[in-house]
Amino acid sequence: MAQFHDLEVTAIRHTIRDAVEVTLRPKGGDFTFVPGQYLTFRRDFDGDELRRSYSICSGGDDGVLQVGIKRVDGGAFSSFANTDLRVGDVLQAMAPQGRFRAKEATGPRHLLAFAGGSGITPILSILRTVLAREPDTRFTLVYANRAAATIMFREELEDLKNRHMGRFNVIHILETEQDIPLFEGRVDGAKCAALFRTWIDIDSVDQALICGPEPMMLAIRAALLDHGMDKDRITYELFGSGQPGRAKQRAAARAGGATGAELTITLEGTSRTIQMEPGQTILEAGLANDLAVPYACTAGVCSTCMCRVTAGEVEMARNHALEDYEVEKGYVLSCQSTPLTGAVSVVYEDH
Ligand code: FES
């Protein structure tokens, strides 16, 4: 559980000024991945352990493990990866995780993907895999960026388009610099409606995949639902929400009314009962008691911290990772969960 493995950096390539594609050779662990999954890295920065998740961008049949890392303003890990990381360095990461993926193919199909900025990385992995494995499947990609210079993997997308003429179509939406008004601006509800009227036949789409910032994801999801696509055919992944300290701030805000609960955590078959501080999340309480509870984003996005409540009740502040049926079965995101009852028991299971 939450085990980190060494991976050697074998290549680093700048795809644009502020983004790198890092090729990794695992030195242990099982790094077989499903296209759409991500790796969670850990590294010490001035004595503080930082965990950051980056999606795999290589295809399932490419025979390499690559992640795309775009520099985020003030982001310690992404800045390090873009400026100081060298070939031969060793990084530590957990085995691939995440449930953002294309459904199993049952025949030729039409996939529609929306990506914002570095949200292209898991979609590129899915795109490469689907085009290679499914010769009759069509793929439409709507890719939103600020400007042409910030398009990660632009050449790779052009290359895929040329190699799969007629079944891979990419629509670049830029905030500025576009001659055609339809392709300029932000991808919001109105833009989706215009695209669905003129360029994309929603009725022909079997699954829609969305990866980008929350407002964009919510607008696209609402537009797809409005245009008749059912919820089960829309898959999304958020990014950019994992701000360190946010969970703590939320917990602190709630701390006034709460009283500390008794928490029993079962991890790798061993149970331990601890006393929670008022307002603490289950994850925070586990970490404060030196338990190796798994986590990555701490923002309710990735599901790394998922556990099952076996006694008592908890409240989740935010959930962008678990499906309704999982919540019904008692699964919660421990980074987002605070107790509603005086005693709570949870179990972390391997997934
Ligand atoms: S650590 Fe990512 S959802 Fe909790």
Side-chain angles (χ1 to χ4, degrees):
M1 174 86 46
Q3 215 190 334
F4 283 84
H5 304 278
D6 287 346
L7 299 105
E8 185 185 342
V9 175
T10 58
I12 300 172
R13 187 174 68 88
H14 275 267
T15 63
I16 50 172
R17 194 168 53 105
D18 279 340
V20 282
E21 174 193 76
V22 180
T23 306
L24 298 157
R25 184 190 303 133
K27 300 176 95 162
D30 180 4
F31 280 82
T32 312
F33 65 92
V34 177
Q37 288 192 306
Y38 59 84
L39 300 182
T40 297
F41 295 87
R42 76 170 174 197
R43 189 167 193 277
D44 267 19
F45 288 91
D46 301 326
D48 283 334
E49 181 186 302
L50 209 59
R51 295 188 183 194
R52 286 292 177 267
S53 302
Y54 297 101
S55 292
I56 296 166
C57 57
S58 41
D61 303 317
D62 293 353
V64 286
L65 182 65
Q66 292 172 319
V67 292
I69 304 180
K70 191 167 187 180
R71 188 205 296 261
V72 174
D73 273 349
F77 199 105
S78 64
S79 298
F80 156 75
N82 272 271
T83 52
D84 298 326
L85 188 65
R86 298 284 177 263
V87 170
D89 285 354
V90 172
L91 293 174
Q92 288 197 310
M94 284 193 252
Q97 291 173 299
R99 292 172 296 166
F100 181 67
R101 62 189 64 178
K103 293 179 193 288
E104 284 292 317
T106 53
R109 53 184 172 161
H110 181 196
L111 298 177
L112 168 63
F114 292 86
S118 58
I120 190 63
T121 46
I123 285 174
L124 182 60
S125 177
I126 294 170
L127 171 66
R128 284 170 158 158
T129 312
V130 164
L131 290 176
R133 289 183 188 168
E134 301 173 36
D136 296 317
T137 285
R138 284 192 298 138
F139 203 114
T140 302
L141 169 65
V142 179
Y143 188 13
N145 279 284
R146 271 205 311 279
T150 67
I151 301 176
M152 267 175 102
F153 301 113
R154 187 179 190 175
E155 280 169 26
E156 287 76 4
L157 292 171
E158 282 308 307
D159 182 49
L160 285 169
K161 206 170 89 175
N162 293 336
R163 280 195 285 135
H164 301 281
M165 256 331 163
R167 62 191 195 98
F168 172 46
N169 183 22
V170 55
I171 301 167
H172 288 287
I173 308 283
L174 303 180
E175 286 181 23
T176 55
E177 304 175 6
Q178 287 288 54
D179 297 335
I180 302 170
L182 179 62
F183 300 147
E184 187 170 287
R186 289 177 185 270
V187 182
D188 54 14
K191 183 68 72 192
C192 287
L195 288 169
F196 300 162
R197 255 196 323 274
T198 50
W199 281 79
I200 301 165
D201 174 15
I202 281 295
D203 293 337
S204 72
V205 175
D206 295 284
Q207 184 185 359
L209 298 136
I210 315 167
C211 186
E214 189 168 359
M216 176 185 145
M217 189 282 290
L218 292 174
I220 295 168
R221 187 169 182 272
L224 289 167
L225 292 170
D226 272 1
H227 285 77
M229 180 167 275
D230 62 53
K231 187 171 157 239
D232 295 345
R233 291 194 288 139
I234 305 171
T235 306
Y236 64 86
E237 174 126 300
L238 289 179
F239 71 85
S241 308
Q243 301 293 321
R246 282 181 59 169
K248 269 201 179 69
Q249 287 159 17
R250 276 196 306 278
R254 290 196 302 272
T259 55
E262 191 174 80
L263 171 67
T264 302
I265 293 182
T266 303
L267 183 69
E268 293 175 332
T270 305
S271 297
R272 195 168 140 204
T273 299
I274 56 180
Q275 191 64 38
M276 292 182 75
E277 299 292 329
Q280 260 184 338
T281 62
I282 289 172
L283 175 68
E284 289 168 333
L287 293 175
N289 284 274
D290 295 327
L291 292 170
V293 281
Y295 71 95
C297 74
T298 69
V301 171
C302 74
S303 84
T304 308
C305 66
M306 154 181 189
C307 62
R308 187 163 54 85
V309 177
T310 54
E313 269 183 65
V314 305
E315 174 187 54
M316 257 193 297
R318 196 166 193 261
N319 171 27
H320 284 299
L322 299 180
E323 303 284 347
D324 294 350
Y325 76 89
E326 292 171 311
V327 175
E328 277 162 26
K329 284 185 183 166
Y331 288 99
V332 295
L333 301 173
S334 59
C335 72
Q336 298 296 309
S337 296
T338 47
L340 289 176
T341 49
V344 169
S345 299
V346 299
V347 54
Y348 285 86
E349 298 165 346
D350 279 323
H351 297 282

